[in-house]
Amino acid sequence: MKIALVKQEVYQDLYVCPVTEKNAANILFSSMGRVGPIGLMAELDADFYIVKEEPEYETQIYRKVIPHISKHLYLLKTETLDKIPGQEFKQPGSPYPNGKFAIDCHDIDWSKYDVVISINVSLPTSVVRSYPQTLFAYMIGEANMATGSVHFGYDVTMNQMARGIVPKKCGIMDFPYTFLSSDTLQKIMQNHLGRESENKGIFMEINSTTERPVTKAPAHFQPLIDAGYEIILHKQRIFDNLKSIYDAKYFVKMGGRHIRGNSVAEAVSLGTLAIMDKNEVTHHELIIDECDVKTMDQMVSLINKLENNPDLYQELLAKQRKVLKELFFEAPVQSLVNCLEEKRKTGKAKPYKWYNKIADRLCFIK
């Protein structure tokens, strides 16, 4: 499949580079924050576009996704993320604003793609319905609206889940925000750094603490420190953070808020074993039973055990990576294949009636 990933120039995350950039490392390290679906480019040779903001109401849904900063997002056309009020502590990977590389979506021939994946609703309904042989999917950045059914004339809504559910036809699709395979990030870092991982220390998942930016390990991590382990803290710039996780041996979370688990997927793909309470993670499938701990005492005990048994460490990491490949890569790819085949059976845009338009408007009411 030939795939395109698209975001608007007002989106506050992901990559900031021109569509001509084909090096996966350069694309990844240009991100404002998260890793996102880098596997599309690194594994499937997808094209990445930043498109100009369009006036149609459906393309304005981003204003409802994160409403507390939406009034400032127009600045991303000319400024970097750290210039947005309230986001000053961020360290975006690119020195350029989204707008530098933004293209008019009407100037792109979407028919050359089998699949187009839009972050939020980057492309107007009129554009989507003009290409009946192309599968159009949208993924709401925070997965907090318009995921219960498909809207805006698109074919698929991606719910950011990764449970191994593979649909046979267009509609709701499990597709994680962090789309990658078992070693996608490890290959990127290894090639970029020109060396293997240092494989030492414990990286603390950022949501184990409320401090931003993170400058110290919270008190409840003291047992790990007392046991002689180095605690590696979150970095604001994406390259620095990924390098820290790549060089760590363990990726742990204890306490703090419930997380979706994109960071867990990143750690496993980097070759770092993830240990935490699976009940604190939406993507709990990645936390295999052997790595599911409920207390800090259990955390220390398991890490001590693994330090004394390198073969067991490798066995558990291999199990986590197998789950990652199946749920975060193979199942989503098969889902795209199935939905594309189903759409092309008809060869025309599906009906878009008055009640569809009303339902689309209702999406703006959370």
Side-chain angles (χ1 to χ4, degrees):
M1 295 180 294
K2 185 58 179 175
I3 300 175
L5 175 67
V6 189
K7 78 167 191 178
Q8 292 168 295
E9 62 183 344
V10 288
Y11 188 57
Q12 74 288 346
D13 192 16
L14 297 184
Y15 330 111
V16 184
C17 60
V19 68
T20 52
E21 180 59 73
K22 300 304 177 185
N23 182 286
N26 292 342
I27 296 172
L28 174 60
F29 300 147
S30 74
S31 178
M32 296 188 200
R34 293 180 286 183
V35 165
I38 191 62
L40 291 170
M41 281 67 72
E43 304 286 356
L44 303 179
D45 195 31
D47 291 336
F48 170 69
Y49 290 94
I50 302 174
V51 296
K52 294 180 179 179
E53 180 185 13
E54 294 296 323
E56 288 86 347
Y57 80 92
E58 62 269 21
T59 67
Q60 299 296 303
I61 198 170
Y62 76 88
R63 298 178 183 275
K64 297 290 185 177
V65 176
I66 310 182
H68 68 279
I69 65 170
S70 64
K71 65 181 179 181
H72 302 300
L73 294 180
Y74 74 93
L75 293 171
L76 294 174
K77 298 178 183 182
T78 56
E79 303 284 354
T80 51
L81 180 62
D82 53 315
K83 303 302 190 297
I84 300 291
Q87 305 296 307
E88 293 85 357
F89 68 95
K90 299 287 182 65
Q91 293 183 22
S94 171
Y96 303 111
N98 279 332
K100 178 176 176 61
F101 306 114
I103 301 171
D104 189 320
C105 71
H106 298 90
D107 293 337
I108 302 168
D109 179 11
W110 300 109
S111 67
K112 67 182 180 179
Y113 296 103
D114 299 299
V115 178
V116 176
I117 299 173
S118 167
I119 302 297
N120 290 335
V121 183
S122 303
L123 307 178
T125 300
S126 58
V127 170
V128 169
R129 290 179 54 76
S130 299
Y131 298 91
Q133 292 295 310
T134 301
L135 183 77
F136 287 90
Y138 66 83
M139 178 191 294
I140 300 300
E142 299 299 311
N144 60 350
M145 57 196 309
T147 58
S149 58
V150 187
H151 294 278
F152 317 118
Y154 283 66
D155 304 296
V156 170
T157 177
M158 295 174 163
N159 59 15
Q160 296 196 30
M161 300 301 287
R163 300 165 295 184
I165 299 173
V166 179
K168 298 295 184 182
K169 59 183 181 178
C170 297
I172 303 169
M173 179 188 295
D174 275 19
F175 198 101
Y177 190 82
T178 303
F179 169 81
L180 34 71
S181 194
S182 57
D183 61 351
T184 302
L185 295 182
Q186 183 181 34
K187 290 185 296 187
I188 289 175
M189 295 303 296
Q190 197 172 66
N191 291 337
H192 185 79
L193 296 173
R195 63 170 176 81
E196 301 284 342
S197 164
E198 293 180 359
N199 201 224
K200 63 180 183 181
I202 298 172
F203 186 96
M204 182 189 76
E205 205 276 340
I206 185 173
N207 292 293
S208 299
T209 181
T210 57
E211 185 184 33
R212 299 291 184 277
V214 183
T215 61
K216 61 184 182 300
H220 64 280
F221 269 68
Q222 193 61 42
L224 284 170
I225 298 171
D226 292 342
Y229 295 113
E230 175 191 7
I231 306 300
I232 304 166
L233 304 178
H234 181 273
K235 310 292 192 304
Q236 286 300 319
R237 195 180 306 276
I238 189 168
F239 170 75
D240 299 332
N241 200 56
L242 291 176
K243 178 175 177 291
S244 293
I245 302 173
Y246 173 70
D247 281 332
K249 188 172 183 179
Y250 303 96
F251 181 89
V252 308
K253 179 186 182 297
M254 183 62 65
R257 73 173 181 87
H258 188 279
I259 61 173
R260 179 169 291 276
N262 289 307
S263 61
V264 181
E266 295 163 17
V268 175
S269 186
L270 285 163
T272 304
L273 187 68
I275 304 174
M276 60 194 69
D277 182 350
K278 67 166 52 180
N279 293 327
E280 295 183 356
V281 188
T282 298
H283 292 312
H284 59 84
E285 297 88 355
L286 290 172
I287 309 303
I288 58 177
D289 291 343
E290 297 92 330
C291 295
D292 181 20
V293 299
K294 308 301 183 185
T295 68
M296 188 56 76
D297 286 342
Q298 291 178 359
M299 178 84 73
V300 174
S301 177
L302 176 56
I303 292 177
N304 285 341
K305 179 181 178 180
L306 294 172
E307 286 296 284
N308 292 317
N309 192 338
D311 290 341
L312 178 60
Y313 175 90
Q314 292 299 330
E315 177 186 330
L316 298 187
L317 179 58
K319 287 183 69 173
Q320 281 191 334
R321 300 187 96 168
K322 182 175 184 291
V323 173
L324 180 68
K325 184 177 182 179
E326 291 174 351
L327 301 186
F328 281 67
F329 187 77
E330 292 178 340
V333 168
Q334 187 59 55
S335 297
L336 290 176
V337 170
N338 291 351
C339 291
L340 178 61
E341 289 179 351
E342 193 259 341
K343 181 175 184 180
R344 286 185 171 170
K345 285 179 181 178
T346 62
K348 59 183 179 181
K350 64 182 180 180
Y352 187 64
K353 301 183 180 297
W354 62 269
Y355 49 80
N356 297 119
K357 297 178 182 179
I358 292 176
D360 291 352
R361 293 280 184 171
L362 292 175
C363 284
F364 285 73
I365 304 174
K366 293 176 64 175

